[in-house]
Amino acid sequence: MTDSKQPSETGTTTSQSKEKPHVPIEHRPLLGVPEAAALTGLTEANIRLAIRRGDLIACYAYTTIKRIRRRDLDDWLASLPENPE
């Protein structure tokens, strides 16, 4: 008899084939607050403040976790002043 959970020739079992493919952070269309902070060099508190103030748009894509569209993050960064007044 053969066991249906035996590893395949590549060394993975059928339960491991459901893993999500790795997508580098710079290519993700939706980002979490920690990812947006890592990409911008700002703190998570600064990102959350911008969301609360309405400067940066966040959405909830079928989850309770805030997600930021990459294009919204890029637009927000472009709108920041270059020189502080």
Side-chain angles (χ1 to χ4, degrees), residues 21-33 35-36 39 56-59 61 66-75:
H22 175 71
V23 178
I25 192 171
E26 60 270 8
H27 298 300
R28 294 182 189 170
L30 290 175
L31 304 168
V33 171
E35 295 166 327
L39 277 174
L56 179 58
I57 300 168
C59 61
K66 288 180 184 173
R67 297 290 181 199
I68 301 162
R69 288 182 190 95
R70 181 59 191 261
R71 67 175 184 254
D72 291 334
L73 182 66
D74 292 339
D75 291 345

Side-chain angles (χ1 to χ4, degrees), residues 40-58:
T40 61
L42 298 171
T43 65
E44 290 181 29
N46 288 125
I47 299 296
R48 286 188 180 93
L49 177 63
I51 293 168
R52 273 194 310 273
R53 292 177 59 187
D55 297 333
L56 179 58
I57 300 168

Side-chain angles (χ1 to χ4, degrees), residues 6-14 16-17:
Q6 285 182 347
S8 65
E9 292 177 15
T10 59
T12 61
T13 61
T14 55
Q16 291 176 340
S17 63

